[in-house]
Amino acid sequence: MITLRSVIYLFGMMTLAGCSGQKQASVTVEEQSGQWALGPFVRPEGVNPVISPQPTTFQCPMRKQTVRWEESDTFNPAATVKDGKIVVLYRAEDNSAQGIGKRTSRIGYAESTDGVMMSRSDAPVLFPSEDGFKEIEWEGGCEDPRVAMTEDGLYVMLYTAWNRNLPRLAVATSRDLKNWTKHGLAFAKAYNGRFANIASKSASLVTGVKDGRLVIEKVDGKYFMYWGENAVCAATSDNLTDWTPVLNENNELREIAKPRSGYFDSRLTECGPPAIKTANGIVLLYNGKNGYTEERDPAYPAGAYCAGQFLFDTNDPYKVLDRLDKPFFVPEAAFEKSGQYKDGTVFIEGLAYFKNKLYLYYGCADSQVAVAICDSDIDSKLKTHN
């Protein structure tokens, strides 16, 4: 039986298939998932990008000289809320070299009372220094943060420590989002250090809305995170600083979800901002990378990063209940398709629940930061409690 909804969906598919790659129309989340997916996320007019490079100087303890620490690129942001403001913690690169991954990254601080107009600090808040973490952070630095907070106000950052040899998940904590305590590699102690020296990145802590705040929640008595880029993996913790990767029956990393041939995420499924417990399950927003050859979705440019969503079972966080087949967010603006990463990137990492809206912060082509906002009856989807 052909319904009006199926006609709309098929029309959307034909529209996507006919795109030239200059601008992609995305099928709405409601058409794909019914009611579980979060969205729509709408770019506010005339405000993006909200964070761009600037020639601010900083006395770098690693280089022993003054550097323009955010001169080249500002991108891949985390986001949270403190004292009635949204705080965005973004990756910034200096101009010490040319090429992706060849400069030094530091984490900058910006805050906003409306989620759009940003007031920025002159100095980074997390950076490679003369400390006990030189081996994992020099000279690539601190990259791609994700941040969430506990009920008692402890902020937890999972970031990529990059020593120009091996990217690895590291942990830092703070009470004020400006002064951070580094705890080292997330997987350093698990299984006698078995996973301390594997490539790891992109950690999304499971959170939920409580008393009007998005806070870290436990799953089956433990803190839980999804992580990874080549596949979605998981890890658990008792203290938020030491994490144990979840293994399968063969004693290898348990891969919960993987890239799909023929889809927008045919190359990578890289975890995005903190996952959220909702009325329908745990929703994980992620970054899907399109392939370059026959495995790609031809509706999107080869190599483009677009955003997708998973729905996991709240009682069994390893069980995928649903997954969007088309991205809910795609590169559209010129600055999302021109920069360091010219194939097009809307790389989502920051999600803030603020005044009954969701603010999604993302990196634009590895060069700038922008925001999209969801205020479409969001509280009916979120699993809120007091």
Side-chain angles (χ1 to χ4, degrees):
M1 178 179 178
I2 298 177
T3 65
L4 176 60
R5 177 172 172 172
S6 64
V7 170
I8 294 173
Y9 182 82
L10 289 171
F11 178 77
M13 294 296 101
M14 290 186 292
T15 302
L16 286 163
C19 286
S20 65
Q22 296 303 306
K23 183 174 181 179
Q24 295 79 41
S26 58
V27 179
T28 67
V29 292
E30 290 81 4
E31 288 171 340
Q32 296 189 73
S33 68
Q35 297 300 316
W36 69 262
L38 302 180
F41 287 90
V42 179
R43 298 164 174 84
E45 292 186 11
V47 302
N48 282 320
V50 295
I51 297 175
S52 298
Q54 60 185 18
T56 316
T57 59
F58 162 70
Q59 185 63 34
C60 176
M62 179 181 72
R63 300 200 184 280
K64 308 294 191 298
Q65 64 184 32
T66 299
V67 299
R68 292 180 176 178
W69 63 278
E70 54 180 348
E71 178 182 23
S72 290
D73 301 282
T74 52
F75 58 114
N76 293 7
T80 188
V81 175
K82 180 173 174 55
D83 298 334
K85 298 178 181 178
I86 291 180
V87 175
V88 177
L89 299 159
Y90 58 95
R91 174 181 171 183
E93 288 186 337
D94 58 26
N95 197 26
S96 57
Q98 296 298 316
I100 293 177
K102 295 183 179 180
R103 298 167 177 151
T104 298
S105 292
R106 302 168 180 87
I107 306 301
Y109 177 101
E111 62 182 32
S112 175
T113 56
D114 63 3
V116 173
M117 299 300 296
M118 297 287 167
S119 174
R120 293 158 68 171
S121 294
D122 290 335
V125 295
L126 193 75
F127 47 87
S129 186
E130 281 283 3
D131 54 25
F133 306 97
K134 293 166 61 174
E135 181 182 350
I136 65 173
E137 293 179 354
W138 283 35
E139 293 182 348
C142 308
E143 301 180 349
D144 297 358
R146 278 84 163 163
V147 172
M149 75 172 176
T150 62
E151 283 190 61
D152 68 351
L154 178 69
Y155 293 88
V156 181
M157 179 193 295
L158 277 297
Y159 67 99
T160 302
W162 173 230
N163 61 3
R164 301 252 176 92
N165 179 47
L166 189 66
R168 286 172 288 183
L169 273 176
V171 187
T173 56
S174 175
R175 289 285 176 181
D176 63 4
L177 294 168
K178 292 183 178 180
N179 298 285
W180 291 88
T181 299
K182 296 178 183 177
H183 299 277
L185 297 177
F187 301 151
K189 299 178 182 179
Y191 309 110
N192 296 315
R194 176 185 172 189
F195 296 102
N197 293 313
I198 65 165
S200 58
K201 57 170 57 178
S202 306
S204 301
L205 294 170
V206 171
T207 65
V209 176
K210 186 174 184 180
D211 296 326
R213 303 181 305 158
L214 192 61
V215 298
I216 299 169
E217 292 200 0
K218 291 184 176 180
V219 177
D220 196 23
K222 289 184 177 291
Y223 299 111
F224 191 96
M225 72 176 178
Y226 299 101
W227 65 277
E229 61 172 349
N230 296 304
V232 177
C233 298
T236 62
S237 175
D238 294 316
N239 60 12
L240 289 170
T241 55
D242 302 304
W243 290 86
T244 301
V246 176
L247 307 182
N248 61 21
E249 62 277 7
N250 296 319
N251 204 35
E252 300 295 337
L253 289 175
R254 182 172 180 177
E255 296 182 338
I256 304 169
K258 300 179 182 180
R260 302 170 293 180
S261 180
Y263 290 84
F264 73 96
D265 54 9
S266 55
R267 181 58 65 93
L268 295 177
T269 51
E270 188 164 355
C271 297
I276 302 182
K277 286 185 177 180
T278 73
N280 296 292
I282 300 171
V283 175
L284 172 65
L285 281 62
Y286 71 99
N287 299 287
K289 183 179 181 180
N290 205 14
Y292 292 94
T293 56
E294 64 277 357
E295 86 278 12
R296 59 175 281 223
D297 184 335
Y300 308 96
Y305 280 88
C306 302
Q309 298 189 37
F310 286 107
L311 178 68
F312 293 96
D313 191 323
T314 303
N315 298 314
D316 181 1
Y318 310 102
K319 182 179 180 181
V320 179
L321 297 178
D322 205 353
R323 179 178 185 175
L324 299 185
D325 286 339
K326 289 290 180 181
F328 74 95
F329 205 63
V330 302
E332 292 182 354
F335 55 80
E336 296 169 353
K337 297 184 286 187
S338 61
Q340 280 199 92
Y341 196 85
K342 298 183 182 357
D343 292 330
T345 303
V346 286
F347 198 86
I348 59 172
E349 282 193 23
L351 191 66
Y353 180 69
F354 186 65
K355 297 181 179 179
N356 303 104
K357 299 178 183 180
L358 284 175
Y359 289 74
L360 180 65
Y361 294 89
Y362 60 98
C364 308
D366 282 8
S367 295
Q368 300 185 84
V369 173
V371 65
I373 303 170
C374 175
D375 62 357
S376 177
D377 195 24
I378 192 64
D379 286 334
S380 68
K381 293 184 179 180
L382 299 179
K383 184 179 181 180
T384 62
H385 55 279
N386 297 320

